[in-house]
Amino acid sequence: MQDRRPASAEPAVPIDPWDAPELTGWRRLPMHAVVRPDAPRVPLDGRWRFQLLPTPRTPLAGRWAETDVPGCWTVQDFDDLHGVRDLPHYTNVTMPFPDLPPSPPAGRNPTGVYEREADVPADWAGRRVVLHVGAAESVLIAHVNGTAVGVGKDSRLASEFDVTHALRPGERNTVRLTVVKWSDATFLEDQDQWWHGGITRSVHLYATDPLHLADVGITAVPGGTLDVAVRVRGGEGVLPAGWSVSGLLCTPDGILRLPADEAFARANVASERVSDFLGEARIRAVVPGVRPWTAETPRLYDLTVRLHRADGSVADESRHRVGFRSVEISGADLLVNGVRVYFRGVNRHDFHPLTGRVVDAEEMRADLCLLKRHGFNAVRTAHYPPDPALLSLADELGLYVVDEADIETHDHAHELADDPRYLGAFTDRVARMVLRDRNHPSVVVWSLGNESDYGANHDAAAGWLRRTDPTRPVQYEGAIKDAWEQAQSASDIICPMYASIEEITAGPHSKPLILCEYSHAMGNSNGSLADYWRAIESTPGLQGGFVWEFRDHGILQRLTGERAGRPAGPDAAADAYADGVTAPGYRWAYGGDFGDTPHDGAFCADGLVLPDRTPKPAMAEHREIAAPLRLELTPDRREARITNRQHFAGLGWLSARWHIGDSGTAPARLPDLAPGESAVVPLPTSLLPHGDSHLTLRVTTAEDLPWAPRGTLVCAPQVVLAEDHRDLLTRAGAVLAADGAGAVELDDAGLLRHPLLTAPPVLTLWRAPTDNDEWGGIADRWRAWGLHALERTLVSVGREGASMVVRSVYATDGAGTVGHEQVLTPLANGGLLVDETAVLPDALTDLPRVGTVFETVAGLDTLEWFGRGPGETYPDRCAGATAGLHRADVDALFTPYLRPQESGGRHDVRRFTLTGAAAAPGIAVHLDLPRQVSVTRHRAADLTAAAHHDELVPRATCVVHLDAAHRGVGTASCGPDTLPAYRVGPGTHRWSWTLQPL
Ligand code: IPT
């Protein structure tokens, strides 16, 4: 196609596209949903010449460096010719520069200039050639052979330019892409994540016929109604005679040929000739026997849409995978295919610890498979449209998606939502997302963006959206922030963030309530997830939520060598990290670690998985909460009841086995149940005489699934057949020594001397503050009370019968004195019974823990415990762990949360042994009640002092905590604090335990 614009006689308008909010793009092709996997294509990923300039106005140097596309220059290793040194920078709300909208900093604005040659086949002559740039942040200026071909803004969506007029088929062509990092658009992209720069998705050229498919919009609903709107564009201004559109749909019964019913109803006619032809055709059909798409049953049908020349040959073709499904809101219920579903969701960014924002399809598949394996059925694409491959994967694997526009004006929220200069950008970003993604069955809700206040610009975008796609609800948290029920046009869903259980259950609600963010996963967190779900499943109108967020955004950083302090980058060897742990010489960097300022520290490390995708313990918690079936005892406790908790699927994809104790196991037969149905099944009588009374149904995948191999754990519900009420000594198999005189040895301070302990058991009220403790503010109160450095004063040592009674006091800073009594009684087997009482003054209103800490000799490296496990658990995060006998290496008990903090706890522990290599003795500990216990290589003080794991030196000893009470972890870093039921208050705390050498 020729560029028919006349040469202008006017002088050029001096626009800096990076400082012009009204300009969202220039000569950019309209966004569309045509997918052409087979179109002739020249891939342009790989090495490009590169210069990073300090400003877009800086002249190029004569020499070029090189770098890879796609890539973030902020993590790449290249020859920094202009000395720009632009490393990752992390801020949450705060803009990374002080300038006010709409202008970016004039003085320093890193600008990457990418250039390379493209060999274009000679047979592309006469065809339309399009340059596709997957994503560039934040302003893209494209040139071909020195001709400016277009400008694009919007860092998370592709820009396409028609480059036919500038390109020379059969020759080497030069493509230059200039990427300006800061712009007027940066104020719209103020998401809580690292700032990067670069071209983050793939680049290529492709060719089509001049007359081509311009867009395809598909609506497909259960029942089989298929409606495909096809737009055709280009050519010589009129539709050539005889051209047509058709569809081919693959069904299990064969290929259906679907003609367009009204070809080109809106075609231009010769008398109304315009610059290029635009016509629309429609394919309508009712497909018999379709099986609907849901996240549980992600059935897809291949559809090919074709544009035919007069002779029937194919001029253009677009490929789709169609899912027949509907979404509607009825009262306070959001229905998928007519059924009220729960959203067991997570917020997910495009993130990688080596590449920054460049993610490939295999990485995305790994993310989604991991989510499916942990019971998630929904993703919110926080806070921008994802790489398009993510949506195809969600279609295929079965996940509901809330697709979110790339609008977050957090630091200037109020100004921009009503700023008419940004009106175009708001609607453009929403519209381009919808036009790209509307054919994905997985996308069930559109989101207008995040944290941008609420203004007329949102309503304008919502208005465009509702007319263009009436088939999906729209949500926007900013619109419901102040009043959930308030009438407005921007949100069909009450989608609050971080609302408490009390708030969400204070209905009734007029619309479905689905939390767009909740259960902030920063560090050791996600307390009360099970309480949320108890509330959601028992309150009309509540339909779930999206955990914040999937992954910790830690960037792998080199600590040694020539590039010390820099990101390890895309080429870092795989052995630089594994299982959440970085190799020596590396660490997970967070805000401030690259010298970035201002910054928000570790607030970017708030995911359910560590940067390398190792699941944090909260993932197991979610898996159990999301279990597809429920197991209960019948009231007479002689049988079990199994309920199918899914919305669409039967239980046929699952297999199950009963487990009891450490070895008893028997096959279980799952009943054939429709969603919501339940049935009574017999208990495995052969197992029941077994000593232990915790009966677990281990449920796994019965066959290989696209997201999990056969045998993958799905859930492990447990019932308790009988409680163990025996007293401590009976359970420990111990009796008091007849005459214990001299058996308990104390030092001058009244502390126990014991051959297996290197540090005696003492009272502790301190835990290394979690991120929730720090950001929620409670840790400052604990410090103010001096809990981290309590000084012990011995009051008395006395003897009562065979026992030694040691009384001491601990002075706090201004909160009174803590009294502590330890009664040490020898046991006949050489062990010791320890009865402890702590009396806490009323001023200590809220404590991290009350308990005992001691350290063992070195050489003990295996913990075997009866309690919840195998994963880490805390009082308000223990639904994902079964009670029973578990065994683990001491080193593996600890979770390396990015900023060191309290970690490694096990809840409801009744007894444990710590053993080492055969020769070394070990210890056995029994507790009076199921208690919180931790065994790690780190003292609470070590963890408190460290900012990163590389600063920690694991001890050879075991640091053992036995807690009478331990505060739940809550979610206070962003959201509700630990619920009152899981807090530790003042008053009298008593606990007893026995210590036996093995
Ligand atoms: C909310 C943001 O939407 C999200 O991007 C992230 O910053 C999260 O908080 C915290 O990690 S906004 C917050 C002010 C509630």
Side-chain angles (χ1 to χ4, degrees):
M1 190 176 55
Q2 298 277 303
D3 181 17
R4 298 192 202 85
R5 292 173 189 81
S8 171
E10 304 291 323
V13 179
I15 287 181
D16 287 340
W18 52 90
D19 193 359
E22 303 85 349
L23 182 84
T24 56
W26 171 69
R27 291 203 182 176
R28 180 157 64 169
L29 291 171
M31 185 56 92
H32 60 82
V34 179
V35 183
R36 297 183 177 85
D38 303 326
R41 171 189 282 240
V42 174
L44 296 179
D45 288 346
R47 293 303 269 177
W48 286 60
R49 292 190 289 282
F50 181 63
Q51 293 193 33
L52 186 60
L53 311 177
T55 79
R57 289 272 167 250
T58 310
L60 284 170
R63 201 158 71 77
W64 288 85
E66 280 196 347
T67 198
D68 285 324
V69 169
C72 292
W73 68 61
T74 35
V75 296
Q76 286 172 317
D77 191 9
F78 56 88
D79 194 357
D80 190 1
L81 299 168
H82 300 265
V84 177
R85 194 186 155 90
D86 191 32
L87 299 182
H89 183 169
Y90 169 59
T91 64
N92 173 10
V93 176
T94 314
M95 287 294 287
F97 47 75
D99 306 68
L100 298 177
S103 297
R108 191 186 135 82
N109 189 357
T111 298
V113 183
Y114 299 79
E115 197 178 84
R116 64 165 283 164
E117 270 63 59
D119 290 320
V120 176
D123 65 4
W124 283 20
R127 312 203 76 188
R128 180 184 77 126
V129 183
V130 176
L131 170 63
H132 174 101
V133 181
E137 50 192 89
S138 67
V139 176
L140 169 70
I141 303 164
H143 288 82
V144 171
N145 296 327
T147 302
V149 293
V151 170
K153 284 188 195 173
D154 186 344
S155 298
R156 317 272 173 259
L157 285 170
S159 287
E160 290 196 338
F161 308 106
D162 186 334
V163 298
T164 315
H165 61 288
L167 207 74
R168 295 189 290 268
E171 292 179 27
R172 291 225 120 167
N173 294 272
T174 304
V175 180
R176 176 183 289 186
L177 302 176
T178 303
V179 179
V180 185
K181 180 168 176 174
W182 306 131
S183 70
D184 54 82
T186 307
F187 297 99
L188 299 181
E189 298 180 358
D190 183 20
Q191 289 98 356
D192 176 10
Q193 59 175 341
W194 292 95
W195 296 97
H196 286 291
I199 296 174
T200 54
R201 294 181 194 149
S202 198
V203 180
H204 61 266
L205 293 165
Y206 67 91
T208 71
D209 265 27
L211 186 59
H212 60 276
L213 294 172
D215 203 2
V216 174
I218 302 168
T219 310
V221 293
T225 302
L226 177 70
D227 186 334
V228 186
V230 184
R231 291 189 143 210
V232 175
R233 189 192 295 274
E236 289 305 311
V238 288
L239 175 67
W243 284 53
S244 65
V245 165
S246 76
L248 287 180
L249 186 77
C250 292
T251 73
D253 304 328
I255 295 180
L256 289 181
R257 287 173 196 285
L258 309 170
D261 59 1
E262 253 182 303
F264 306 110
R266 289 180 49 199
N268 303 312
V269 294
S271 58
E272 293 168 7
R273 195 179 143 132
V274 291
S275 61
D276 57 5
F277 166 77
L278 175 66
E280 195 173 293
R282 257 194 139 85
I283 299 168
R284 288 195 182 88
V286 178
V287 185
V290 292
R291 303 171 75 197
W293 185 97
T294 71
E296 291 170 18
T297 56
R299 294 178 188 113
L300 295 171
Y301 295 81
D302 288 332
L303 171 72
T304 305
V305 174
R306 287 179 169 165
L307 172 65
H308 302 274
R309 301 188 187 90
D311 64 1
S313 62
V314 177
D316 200 1
E317 185 170 278
S318 183
R319 298 282 189 87
H320 304 272
R321 306 199 75 193
V322 177
F324 291 81
R325 66 109 191 80
S326 65
V327 196
E328 79 197 278
I329 290 184
S330 167
D333 296 329
L334 188 151
L335 310 177
V336 172
N337 299 349
V339 177
R340 180 176 187 265
V341 300
Y342 286 124
F343 285 79
R344 301 182 185 280
V346 73
N347 283 277
R348 179 195 169 279
H349 274 281
D350 282 345
F351 170 80
H352 192 277
L354 299 182
T355 58
R357 258 195 272 287
V358 181
V359 287
D360 64 30
E362 283 319 301
E363 292 278 335
M364 287 181 260
R365 182 180 286 275
D367 284 1
L368 298 192
C369 289
L370 195 67
L371 286 170
K372 291 279 290 187
R373 287 180 205 173
H374 289 86
F376 289 90
N377 72 353
V379 168
R380 174 176 176 235
T381 69
H383 296 302
Y384 40 81
D387 186 296
L390 188 93
L391 300 177
S392 303
L393 287 163
D395 294 343
E396 175 197 326
L397 300 171
L399 285 149
Y400 302 120
V401 172
V402 174
D403 198 0
E404 187 151 281
D406 186 12
I407 302 175
E408 173 158 346
T409 62
H410 214 153
D411 203 8
H412 296 280
H414 185 62
E415 300 118 86
L416 300 188
D418 279 311
D419 186 334
R421 292 172 298 178
Y422 278 95
L423 170 61
F426 273 66
T427 48
D428 186 62
R429 283 162 184 259
V430 171
R432 282 169 31 84
M433 166 182 76
V434 172
L435 292 172
R436 187 191 74 165
D437 295 341
R438 62 174 159 178
N439 293 336
H440 289 281
S442 56
V443 176
V444 293
V445 176
W446 300 115
S447 162
L448 301 180
N450 187 56
E451 286 290 353
S452 303
D453 209 316
Y454 176 39
N457 293 346
H458 289 106
D459 282 344
W464 182 94
L465 206 168
R466 289 184 190 290
R467 178 163 176 108
T468 308
D469 180 19
T471 72
R472 292 175 176 93
V474 179
Q475 76 172 45
Y476 176 52
E477 185 270 340
I480 60 103
K481 205 181 203 86
D482 301 325
W484 288 2
E485 305 291 337
Q486 162 186 297
Q488 36 74 25
S489 57
S491 199
D492 299 324
I493 296 171
I494 300 173
C495 50
M497 44 172 70
Y498 308 106
S500 66
I501 293 172
E502 214 179 339
E503 288 167 316
I504 60 174
T505 50
H509 302 299
S510 59
K511 303 171 187 169
L513 190 151
I514 304 170
L515 292 139
C516 74
E517 293 175 24
Y518 81 116
S519 198
H520 196 246
M522 182 178 190
N524 191 350
S525 187
N526 305 97
S528 284
L529 196 55
D531 296 308
Y532 267 95
W533 276 93
R534 263 190 290 278
I536 290 165
E537 293 181 353
S538 60
T539 311
L542 304 191
Q543 278 191 256
F546 294 79
V547 172
W548 184 268
E549 67 174 306
F550 175 57
R551 196 162 177 173
D552 278 351
H553 296 216
I555 293 184
L556 192 71
Q557 183 180 34
R558 272 181 213 280
L559 295 173
T560 54
E562 203 187 310
R563 282 173 47 77
R566 319 259 310 196
D571 300 326
D575 60 4
Y577 59 88
D579 301 330
V581 179
T582 54
Y586 294 91
R587 72 174 176 192
W588 299 125
Y590 50 75
D593 289 341
F594 297 111
D596 42 323
T597 179
H599 68 80
D600 287 292
F603 210 63
C604 58
D606 50 6
L608 289 164
V609 303
L610 294 166
D612 67 353
R613 212 185 278 109
T614 301
K616 286 165 45 173
M619 285 289 269
E621 181 85 354
H622 187 275
R623 179 175 56 202
E624 203 54 44
I625 292 169
L629 58 80
R630 171 179 293 126
L631 173 72
E632 301 156 293
L633 285 179
T634 51
D636 63 5
R637 308 177 77 80
R638 286 160 192 264
E639 287 168 308
R641 174 176 291 278
I642 290 178
T643 308
N644 179 357
R645 303 174 71 221
Q646 300 165 100
H647 302 299
F648 302 100
L651 299 181
W653 62 285
L654 301 168
S655 66
R657 279 191 84 80
W658 296 108
H659 289 264
I660 201 162
D662 50 349
S663 55
T665 173
R669 204 188 60 79
L670 291 177
D672 187 11
L673 295 175
E677 281 182 1
S678 63
V680 171
V681 299
L683 293 174
T685 37
S686 63
L687 299 180
L688 296 188
H690 234 273
D692 184 12
S693 55
H694 292 77
L695 178 67
T696 306
L697 187 67
R698 227 184 114 81
V699 182
T700 55
T701 51
E703 56 203 59
D704 286 344
L705 297 172
W707 47 270
R710 174 168 180 259
T712 301
L713 182 65
V714 174
C715 59
Q718 190 173 56
V719 288
V720 182
L721 301 171
E723 302 287 355
D724 186 351
H725 294 297
R726 292 173 303 159
D727 71 16
L728 172 60
L729 289 185
T730 312
R731 282 191 288 111
V735 288
L736 302 178
D739 173 12
V744 179
E745 201 188 330
L746 303 179
D747 68 12
D748 293 347
L751 298 173
L752 178 71
R753 280 188 213 267
H754 192 282
L756 293 176
L757 305 189
T758 54
V762 292
L763 174 75
T764 178
L765 306 181
W766 178 251
R767 75 178 177 200
T770 63
D771 290 317
N772 289 331
D773 298 339
E774 291 288 7
W775 290 76
I778 188 81
D780 286 339
R781 283 165 68 197
W782 297 339
R783 282 194 191 90
W785 290 330
L787 301 188
H788 58 300
L790 288 181
E791 291 241 350
R792 173 176 174 274
T793 309
L794 179 64
V795 175
S796 65
V797 177
R799 185 182 291 277
E800 282 179 18
S803 308
M804 300 298 294
V805 181
V806 182
R807 296 202 173 91
S808 30
V809 291
Y810 294 79
T812 68
D813 279 344
T817 303
V818 177
H820 180 233
E821 181 187 85
Q822 215 173 39
V823 181
L824 301 138
T825 310
L827 298 172
N829 60 3
L832 199 64
L833 168 67
V834 186
D835 296 296
E836 312 207 42
T837 308
V839 182
L840 277 60
D842 287 347
L844 294 180
T845 49
D846 190 341
L847 295 154
R849 65 162 29 120
V850 177
T852 307
V853 61
F854 60 81
E855 286 174 43
T856 69
V857 291
L860 305 183
D861 43 34
T862 304
L863 180 76
E864 189 171 86
W865 74 101
F866 189 93
R868 297 220 184 224
E872 177 195 279
T873 44
Y874 284 84
D876 59 350
R877 201 193 68 224
C878 59
T882 48
L885 196 61
H886 302 281
R887 189 185 166 92
D889 280 358
V890 170
D891 294 338
L893 292 166
F894 183 76
T895 309
Y897 297 111
L898 255 60
R899 196 188 60 78
Q901 56 195 276
E902 162 64 31
S903 159
R906 297 296 184 280
H907 193 55
D908 280 348
V909 176
R910 289 137 193 254
R911 62 172 198 266
F912 63 87
T913 62
L914 260 171
T915 53
I923 61 166
V925 171
H926 284 76
L927 295 127
D928 54 348
L929 293 171
R931 302 277 187 186
Q932 183 77 17
V933 165
S934 77
V935 179
T936 71
R937 302 292 188 195
H938 307 287
R939 290 182 186 161
D942 302 341
L943 298 170
T944 308
H948 295 87
H949 280 273
D950 59 285
E951 299 155 29
L952 285 173
V953 183
R955 291 175 186 274
T957 62
C958 292
V959 179
V960 180
H961 280 274
L962 316 175
D963 291 328
H966 193 108
R967 194 181 201 262
V969 290
T971 61
S973 54
C974 188
D977 195 359
T978 304
L979 292 181
Y982 306 107
R983 292 189 201 160
V984 179
T988 302
H989 295 259
R990 287 201 176 82
W991 66 107
S992 300
W993 50 285
T994 63
L995 173 71
Q996 286 164 257
L998 291 174

